[in-house]
Amino acid sequence: MKSTVEHLSPTRVKLAVEVPFDELKPNFDRAYKKIAQQVRIPGFRPGKAPARILDQRLGRGVVLEEVVNEAVPAKYGEAVSEAEVQPLGQPEIEVTEIEDGDKLAFTAEVDIRPEITVPDYTSIAVEVDDAEVTDADVDEQLKGLQARFGTLTGVDRPVQNGDFVVIDLSATVDGEPVEEAQTSGMSHEVGSGQLIEGLDEALEGMTAGETKQFTTKLVAGEHAGKDSEVSVTVQSVKERQLPEADDEFAQLASEFDTLDELKDDLRTRYSRVKKMEQGSQARDRVLEALLEAADVPLPESVVQSEVEVRAHEAVHEFDHDEARLTQYVESQGQTREEFDTELRTSAEQAVKTQLLLDKIADESGVQVEQQELMERIMMQAQRFGVSPEEYIQQAQQANQLGAIFADVRRGKALATVVQAATITGPGGAEVDLSELFGTAGEVEGETIDEATEETPSPDEDAPSAEGADVAAGPTDGSQVADADTDASDPASPSSQVEVGAGSGHEADTEVVGAPDSTSRT
């Protein structure tokens, strides 16, 4: 076999391959055997018809087609190895010549992994926010914990920010009711911004039994992006009363005996959160600096594939209705052209990141241990609410195990860069992140939850060109692995004990949830 390679661009090559028929004899033998099994020829048992009879009855062209279909992919693989290029994606193959008994010739155009010069990342220097936990931070965490054990007491006064109200909602568009926007008896915290835009502003100052109308744009459903007339009726108003912050509360809310012990624990927990946030910030800023310093030619077919994946994810949230997606985008003050441009830009950035981190992983000799791969799989399985076995099965069916492996490897490569970079705080003092990323020169053990992992698809209310798919490169920068993630913010009022009161209401106590306790880790 003879092959030549022509570099059409830094990211694309054209291979010209010529194969003598002598090398195709095994392919012809298999082709005749396969065809003989598929046809019935009088006088011969299935599979026993000789080659010359098959040629006479079926024509030489049938055999040549079978040989070409089998031989070309194999010979393409050999040519790629000889040319020492790394193809990305599927090749465009064209058979240019078949001279029976002489040679088979074909060409293959394919995008390849470009040559990349990795910038000197030891010279990268970034600044991150301070991770110090103040007394005010601890007090805020304590108030959040108090809120979880708070009571909601009915009041006879106008609605204020922070109150809890029970409301009825209805909406119309062009005078027609919007079915998915009709609800009654809904509990809502005023000022939380968790429902439709304009609702919190409308609620403030209302009293129980009062109804008010306001106009807003719907952000989901069939009428996404359209102006809607919304009617809200307040059924009841309640305010949250917090328990006293004392030793008794500490014993109720945690395993600690005193308030001081509880506050020390909250400080420790929040310190871990702040340190993780600092680590994520360092990772993202180091990566940004690395990408700015690197020149990475982008294979067009790979970028286009990434664009298509992201576009599919965005329109999927609107039942694949392009018009509804466009309507929503415009309701957010952006044209569809701007959205598509942003989507392509983020896709290009993702592909650039992937290629660059792969190159760094190659140069640094980054290896992925079986345990590291399983840790990633278990983390992803937990994230999607399935068992590790089920997640592995789904990944195998989707042919994504290789992408998961690559994500872990890229994450370790990025950790190597962060280890080598200079990271300082606001005052100029160097920040020690070795607990999260290891020390310079270490690549054993995963110390970062890869920015290169798949990010969740945009939720139905907010499609975004920033979403990323598996192996798409870092875009979210949200977590740092191997740091304790149990230091969650205890401020969310996940449950309340409601006590009705005021204006002659009978005292009624409704337990709507059991608060989680705060315990030492």
PDB file of all heavy atoms in Angstrom, residues 436-452:
ATOM      1  N   LEU A 436      -6.525  21.654  47.720  1.00  0.00           N
ATOM      2  CA  LEU A 436      -7.486  21.351  46.658  1.00  0.00           C
ATOM      3  C   LEU A 436      -6.819  20.838  45.394  1.00  0.00           C
ATOM      4  O   LEU A 436      -7.369  19.983  44.701  1.00  0.00           O
ATOM      5  CB  LEU A 436      -8.297  22.607  46.313  1.00  0.00           C
ATOM      6  CG  LEU A 436      -9.087  23.247  47.453  1.00  0.00           C
ATOM      7  CD1 LEU A 436      -9.813  24.495  46.948  1.00  0.00           C
ATOM      8  CD2 LEU A 436     -10.082  22.265  48.042  1.00  0.00           C
ATOM      9  N   PHE A 437      -5.650  21.359  45.071  1.00  0.00           N
ATOM     10  CA  PHE A 437      -5.020  21.059  43.790  1.00  0.00           C
ATOM     11  C   PHE A 437      -3.707  20.302  43.907  1.00  0.00           C
ATOM     12  O   PHE A 437      -3.105  19.961  42.896  1.00  0.00           O
ATOM     13  CB  PHE A 437      -4.764  22.355  43.010  1.00  0.00           C
ATOM     14  CG  PHE A 437      -6.006  23.094  42.629  1.00  0.00           C
ATOM     15  CD1 PHE A 437      -6.473  24.121  43.413  1.00  0.00           C
ATOM     16  CD2 PHE A 437      -6.723  22.747  41.498  1.00  0.00           C
ATOM     17  CE1 PHE A 437      -7.630  24.813  43.076  1.00  0.00           C
ATOM     18  CE2 PHE A 437      -7.872  23.424  41.150  1.00  0.00           C
ATOM     19  CZ  PHE A 437      -8.326  24.458  41.937  1.00  0.00           C
ATOM     20  N   GLY A 438      -3.217  20.048  45.113  1.00  0.00           N
ATOM     21  CA  GLY A 438      -1.913  19.430  45.272  1.00  0.00           C
ATOM     22  C   GLY A 438      -0.823  20.462  45.127  1.00  0.00           C
ATOM     23  O   GLY A 438      -1.063  21.662  45.020  1.00  0.00           O
ATOM     24  N   THR A 439       0.405  20.001  45.098  1.00  0.00           N
ATOM     25  CA  THR A 439       1.549  20.905  44.945  1.00  0.00           C
ATOM     26  C   THR A 439       2.125  20.769  43.552  1.00  0.00           C
ATOM     27  O   THR A 439       1.858  19.799  42.841  1.00  0.00           O
ATOM     28  CB  THR A 439       2.641  20.583  45.983  1.00  0.00           C
ATOM     29  OG1 THR A 439       3.021  19.210  45.850  1.00  0.00           O
ATOM     30  CG2 THR A 439       2.119  20.828  47.391  1.00  0.00           C
ATOM     31  N   ALA A 440       2.916  21.740  43.157  1.00  0.00           N
ATOM     32  CA  ALA A 440       3.485  21.759  41.809  1.00  0.00           C
ATOM     33  C   ALA A 440       4.228  20.466  41.529  1.00  0.00           C
ATOM     34  O   ALA A 440       5.012  19.986  42.332  1.00  0.00           O
ATOM     35  CB  ALA A 440       4.423  22.954  41.655  1.00  0.00           C
ATOM     36  N   GLY A 441       3.963  19.901  40.358  1.00  0.00           N
ATOM     37  CA  GLY A 441       4.635  18.673  39.954  1.00  0.00           C
ATOM     38  C   GLY A 441       3.824  17.431  40.247  1.00  0.00           C
ATOM     39  O   GLY A 441       4.116  16.369  39.721  1.00  0.00           O
ATOM     40  N   GLU A 442       2.800  17.551  41.084  1.00  0.00           N
ATOM     41  CA  GLU A 442       1.978  16.379  41.389  1.00  0.00           C
ATOM     42  C   GLU A 442       0.864  16.255  40.363  1.00  0.00           C
ATOM     43  O   GLU A 442       0.198  17.220  40.037  1.00  0.00           O
ATOM     44  CB  GLU A 442       1.344  16.516  42.780  1.00  0.00           C
ATOM     45  CG  GLU A 442       2.320  16.436  43.918  1.00  0.00           C
ATOM     46  CD  GLU A 442       1.608  16.590  45.260  1.00  0.00           C
ATOM     47  OE1 GLU A 442       0.386  16.849  45.247  1.00  0.00           O
ATOM     48  OE2 GLU A 442       2.279  16.448  46.279  1.00  0.00           O
ATOM     49  N   VAL A 443       0.667  15.050  39.858  1.00  0.00           N
ATOM     50  CA  VAL A 443      -0.482  14.779  39.012  1.00  0.00           C
ATOM     51  C   VAL A 443      -1.180  13.516  39.456  1.00  0.00           C
ATOM     52  O   VAL A 443      -2.173  13.115  38.874  1.00  0.00           O
ATOM     53  CB  VAL A 443      -0.076  14.640  37.515  1.00  0.00           C
ATOM     54  CG1 VAL A 443       0.400  15.957  36.979  1.00  0.00           C
ATOM     55  CG2 VAL A 443       0.985  13.562  37.328  1.00  0.00           C
ATOM     56  N   GLU A 444      -0.661  12.876  40.485  1.00  0.00           N
ATOM     57  CA  GLU A 444      -1.295  11.667  40.975  1.00  0.00           C
ATOM     58  C   GLU A 444      -2.468  12.051  41.858  1.00  0.00           C
ATOM     59  O   GLU A 444      -2.359  12.881  42.737  1.00  0.00           O
ATOM     60  CB  GLU A 444      -0.301  10.828  41.793  1.00  0.00           C
ATOM     61  CG  GLU A 444       0.835  10.275  40.968  1.00  0.00           C
ATOM     62  CD  GLU A 444       0.361   9.358  39.862  1.00  0.00           C
ATOM     63  OE1 GLU A 444      -0.633   8.653  40.078  1.00  0.00           O
ATOM     64  OE2 GLU A 444       0.965   9.359  38.789  1.00  0.00           O
ATOM     65  N   GLY A 445      -3.600  11.432  41.610  1.00  0.00           N
ATOM     66  CA  GLY A 445      -4.778  11.707  42.428  1.00  0.00           C
ATOM     67  C   GLY A 445      -5.525  12.915  41.893  1.00  0.00           C
ATOM     68  O   GLY A 445      -4.965  13.958  41.618  1.00  0.00           O
ATOM     69  N   GLU A 446      -6.813  12.756  41.719  1.00  0.00           N
ATOM     70  CA  GLU A 446      -7.612  13.842  41.178  1.00  0.00           C
ATOM     71  C   GLU A 446      -7.908  14.850  42.270  1.00  0.00           C
ATOM     72  O   GLU A 446      -8.392  14.523  43.329  1.00  0.00           O
ATOM     73  CB  GLU A 446      -8.913  13.277  40.620  1.00  0.00           C
ATOM     74  CG  GLU A 446      -9.799  14.326  39.985  1.00  0.00           C
ATOM     75  CD  GLU A 446     -11.086  13.716  39.514  1.00  0.00           C
ATOM     76  OE1 GLU A 446     -11.276  12.506  39.721  1.00  0.00           O
ATOM     77  OE2 GLU A 446     -11.900  14.456  38.954  1.00  0.00           O
ATOM     78  N   THR A 447      -7.583  16.105  42.018  1.00  0.00           N
ATOM     79  CA  THR A 447      -7.797  17.130  43.022  1.00  0.00           C
ATOM     80  C   THR A 447      -8.757  18.199  42.564  1.00  0.00           C
ATOM     81  O   THR A 447      -8.973  19.171  43.262  1.00  0.00           O
ATOM     82  CB  THR A 447      -6.468  17.801  43.386  1.00  0.00           C
ATOM     83  OG1 THR A 447      -5.848  18.275  42.190  1.00  0.00           O
ATOM     84  CG2 THR A 447      -5.542  16.835  44.092  1.00  0.00           C
ATOM     85  N   ILE A 448      -9.334  18.034  41.399  1.00  0.00           N
ATOM     86  CA  ILE A 448     -10.261  19.058  40.927  1.00  0.00           C
ATOM     87  C   ILE A 448     -11.438  18.402  40.255  1.00  0.00           C
ATOM     88  O   ILE A 448     -11.300  17.442  39.520  1.00  0.00           O
ATOM     89  CB  ILE A 448      -9.563  20.014  39.941  1.00  0.00           C
ATOM     90  CG1 ILE A 448     -10.511  21.136  39.503  1.00  0.00           C
ATOM     91  CG2 ILE A 448      -9.041  19.318  38.724  1.00  0.00           C
ATOM     92  CD1 ILE A 448      -9.830  22.241  38.745  1.00  0.00           C
ATOM     93  N   ASP A 449     -12.612  18.911  40.541  1.00  0.00           N
ATOM     94  CA  ASP A 449     -13.804  18.433  39.856  1.00  0.00           C
ATOM     95  C   ASP A 449     -13.884  19.176  38.537  1.00  0.00           C
ATOM     96  O   ASP A 449     -14.190  20.338  38.490  1.00  0.00           O
ATOM     97  CB  ASP A 449     -15.050  18.717  40.692  1.00  0.00           C
ATOM     98  CG  ASP A 449     -16.302  18.252  39.983  1.00  0.00           C
ATOM     99  OD1 ASP A 449     -16.210  17.357  39.143  1.00  0.00           O
ATOM    100  OD2 ASP A 449     -17.361  18.804  40.278  1.00  0.00           O
ATOM    101  N   GLU A 450     -13.584  18.467  37.477  1.00  0.00           N
ATOM    102  CA  GLU A 450     -13.243  19.081  36.203  1.00  0.00           C
ATOM    103  C   GLU A 450     -14.253  20.111  35.724  1.00  0.00           C
ATOM    104  O   GLU A 450     -15.446  19.891  35.724  1.00  0.00           O
ATOM    105  CB  GLU A 450     -13.099  18.001  35.128  1.00  0.00           C
ATOM    106  CG  GLU A 450     -11.879  17.154  35.320  1.00  0.00           C
ATOM    107  CD  GLU A 450     -12.046  16.173  36.439  1.00  0.00           C
ATOM    108  OE1 GLU A 450     -13.179  15.935  36.857  1.00  0.00           O
ATOM    109  OE2 GLU A 450     -11.023  15.649  36.918  1.00  0.00           O
ATOM    110  N   ALA A 451     -13.684  21.223  35.283  1.00  0.00           N
ATOM    111  CA  ALA A 451     -14.501  22.179  34.563  1.00  0.00           C
ATOM    112  C   ALA A 451     -14.897  21.614  33.223  1.00  0.00           C
ATOM    113  O   ALA A 451     -15.763  22.138  32.549  1.00  0.00           O
ATOM    114  CB  ALA A 451     -13.706  23.467  34.355  1.00  0.00           C
ATOM    115  N   THR A 452     -14.237  20.529  32.799  1.00  0.00           N
ATOM    116  CA  THR A 452     -14.517  19.947  31.494  1.00  0.00           C
ATOM    117  C   THR A 452     -15.674  18.972  31.512  1.00  0.00           C
ATOM    118  O   THR A 452     -15.988  18.382  30.498  1.00  0.00           O
ATOM    119  CB  THR A 452     -13.277  19.210  30.965  1.00  0.00           C
ATOM    120  OG1 THR A 452     -12.811  18.317  31.965  1.00  0.00           O
ATOM    121  CG2 THR A 452     -12.191  20.184  30.626  1.00  0.00           C
TER     122      THR A 452
END
